[in-house]
Amino acid sequence: MFFKRTKASGVTQEIRVRRCYGCGAILQDTDPDEVGYVPPAKFESGEDTLCERCYKLRHYSTYKKTPDFNIDYVTILEDAKEEEALVVYVLNAFCLTGSLLDGIGKYLPENVLVVVNKRDVLPKNYSDDFLKKYVLSKLEPEGIHVKDIILTSSSKGMNIDEVMAAIEKNRNGKSVYFIGAYQVGKSSLINRLLKDYRNSTEKMITTSPYPGTTLDVISIPLDENSYIFDTPGIYNPKSIVSFIEPEIVKYVIPRNEIRPEKYQTKEGQSFLLSNLCRIDYIKGPRTDFTFLKSNDIVIERCKIGKADQAFRQNCLNEQASFRTEKVKDIQGLSKTTCEIEANAPYRIRVVGLGFFDFIGTPGAVIDVYAPKGVRILCERNEVANA
């Protein structure tokens, strides 16, 4: 094992930093000319936020909403590849599709450990086998060589020893690069790993730009010749988490175990999830919709004919526990039509927000309204309780 047990907890204090959720820069409120700057009042709020540069780029319509990896990230991953280092690819169990990074496979070495974090927010009877098979089905087309897949929860300490053992087994004395999308819990997972262990070298944990890049990377010494590198979270514009304001992300990402909600549904009914999403059952026989989403999101059901008015009220309701200010009416959302082709279980995912399951019938039609750019997936769901 590359860490020694210790009762000291100070080591984790040094890597509890706040990053801009747009570019990954470490936030600071002292120098407006340096990366990561935010005004002092915003910095003191403690909320997730954008640095001033990203805020201006986004709000003045010059922000490039693509998941492309810039030259700095490519530099880091090329170094990992050349070293034949271990990459720990951290995913979010609740939102696997929102934490998968399109196109990253060609930049990764052939030594990848996948850690699926936040397993604790899914119902206990949710299929772990399905989770792993689903991850593999998405990573294999990317050409990613997966050494192992471990389900964990950094908040609960679930399988942390297994994660550490897998890192030690697969790193072969080389460095370890933690990568992942924004809000997968990557840094909190590293903090959990360091809670009961510390390195035995004289080297200190440091935060500095990675050599040859402008990205701030946390370097944690493993031994005299290798490190854990905690890289910034990568922005994924296909997730609703990247669309909404940072202060309401905490309501959309589950903080405790999800309670599935089942509704007997017939055509002509509409379901509203705050002012973030609307689902219309346009055509089909009676069926059950079972929703899995944050317990903070209240579902409202009404007739489709009254859905526009109900949605508008959600947009204007200042007493709501949360709502996005970016959507003023249904015109602020983009429609995706899902046409069902088989008698089979189906799952429709609104990436970053959640999903719902139902038994499909050929010819059934469901319209899903979500912010423009948010990915909607309609998939066959072959695994019971998955």
Side-chain angles (χ1 to χ4, degrees):
M1 187 63 66
F2 54 81
F3 287 116
K4 292 183 178 179
R5 284 191 177 276
T6 175
K7 294 182 179 179
S9 59
V11 68
T12 62
Q13 300 279 337
E14 298 180 56
I15 65 170
R16 287 179 181 170
V17 296
R18 292 169 56 218
R19 295 184 184 273
C20 166
Y21 70 87
C23 67
I26 291 177
L27 299 177
Q28 52 89 13
D29 64 346
T30 56
D31 190 344
D33 296 323
E34 292 295 325
V35 296
Y37 176 76
V38 293
K42 187 183 291 187
F43 185 82
E44 292 298 327
S45 72
E47 296 285 352
D48 288 344
T49 190
L50 293 169
C51 68
E52 283 296 278
R53 173 182 173 276
C54 287
Y55 179 87
K56 290 176 181 178
L57 285 172
R58 177 175 293 194
H59 287 272
Y60 288 99
S61 302
T62 57
Y63 190 74
K64 185 184 179 186
K65 285 194 171 183
T66 73
D68 297 341
F69 304 103
N70 63 31
I71 189 63
D72 287 347
Y73 251 108
V74 171
T75 297
I76 292 174
L77 296 177
E78 284 180 344
D79 282 358
K81 202 169 187 176
E82 183 176 350
E83 185 187 348
E84 297 181 338
L86 173 66
V87 165
V88 179
Y89 189 0
V90 183
L91 305 177
N92 181 333
F94 166 70
C95 182
L96 288 174
T97 47
S99 54
L100 292 166
L101 300 165
D102 294 343
I104 200 170
K106 63 184 177 182
Y107 300 115
L108 298 182
E110 294 191 3
N111 195 10
V112 178
L113 173 66
V114 176
V115 177
V116 182
N117 195 18
K118 304 190 180 184
R119 169 61 183 89
D120 59 302
V121 304
L122 293 176
K124 292 182 176 63
N125 66 345
Y126 198 96
S127 171
D128 288 349
D129 286 341
F130 173 80
L131 274 176
K132 293 182 178 182
K133 289 177 181 177
Y134 189 82
V135 168
L136 278 177
S137 74
K138 297 298 181 181
L139 297 185
E140 286 178 346
E142 286 263 1
I144 297 175
H145 303 274
V146 179
K147 294 290 186 180
D148 198 2
I149 299 174
I150 300 175
L151 308 183
T152 186
S153 165
S154 56
S155 63
K156 303 295 183 182
M158 173 186 172
N159 295 335
I160 293 298
D161 287 343
E162 186 178 345
V163 173
M164 295 191 70
I167 290 173
E168 180 65 6
K169 174 185 175 182
N170 290 292
R171 78 183 186 94
N172 300 318
K174 305 292 181 63
S175 291
V176 181
Y177 292 73
F178 275 72
I179 67 168
Y182 168 63
Q183 284 289 347
V184 297
K186 175 173 51 63
S187 294
S188 63
L189 175 62
I190 293 176
N191 273 323
R192 188 74 195 207
L193 292 171
L194 295 180
K195 185 176 182 180
D196 297 323
Y197 296 87
R198 68 178 179 185
N199 74 86
S200 57
T201 74
E202 297 300 319
K203 297 179 180 179
M204 298 296 293
I205 295 173
T206 59
T207 300
S208 61
Y210 189 86
T213 79
T214 61
L215 288 179
D216 286 324
V217 173
I218 297 169
S219 305
I220 305 162
L222 296 176
D223 53 40
E224 295 300 329
N225 301 306
S226 58
Y227 292 82
I228 282 179
F229 294 107
D230 178 18
T231 63
I234 299 174
Y235 173 79
N236 183 354
K238 296 178 181 178
S239 171
I240 204 168
V241 171
S242 296
F243 172 84
I244 60 179
E245 299 89 334
E247 59 268 23
I248 68 172
V249 168
K250 62 185 178 182
Y251 298 106
V252 172
I253 295 180
R255 292 170 285 174
N256 41 44
E257 185 177 332
I258 294 169
R259 299 185 300 271
E261 296 183 26
K262 180 182 289 188
Y263 295 84
Q264 291 184 344
T265 307
K266 60 182 180 180
E267 66 177 40
Q269 292 185 332
S270 182
F271 296 87
L272 311 182
L273 286 74
S274 183
N275 67 334
L276 295 173
C277 178
R278 173 175 143 188
I279 298 159
D280 292 350
Y281 191 27
I282 303 296
K283 179 182 177 182
R286 290 179 180 268
T287 187
D288 290 335
F289 282 7
T290 301
F291 290 86
L292 276 83
K293 42 72 183 174
S294 168
N295 297 330
D296 291 313
I297 297 176
V298 176
I299 295 177
E300 300 175 60
R301 179 166 54 171
C302 64
K303 294 180 179 180
I304 289 178
K306 297 182 178 180
D308 282 357
Q309 180 181 354
F311 190 83
R312 190 177 303 111
Q313 289 175 344
N314 283 354
C315 294
L316 299 173
N317 183 9
E318 296 182 357
Q319 304 303 316
S321 57
F322 74 93
R323 61 192 173 101
T324 177
E325 296 290 342
K326 298 181 180 182
V327 177
K328 303 301 182 183
D329 54 38
I330 195 63
Q331 304 305 318
L333 302 182
S334 179
K335 183 176 76 171
T336 299
T337 297
C338 302
E339 298 181 356
I340 309 305
E341 300 176 348
N343 289 305
Y346 275 82
R347 171 168 293 172
I348 293 181
R349 299 176 185 267
V350 181
V351 172
L353 186 64
F355 53 85
F356 65 97
D357 296 332
F358 60 97
I359 302 300
T361 303
V365 177
I366 298 172
D367 286 343
V368 180
Y369 296 81
K372 184 178 180 180
V374 173
R375 180 180 288 173
I376 308 298
L377 296 174
C378 182
E379 305 171 317
R380 292 277 291 272
N381 182 18
E382 302 293 350
V383 182
N385 294 324

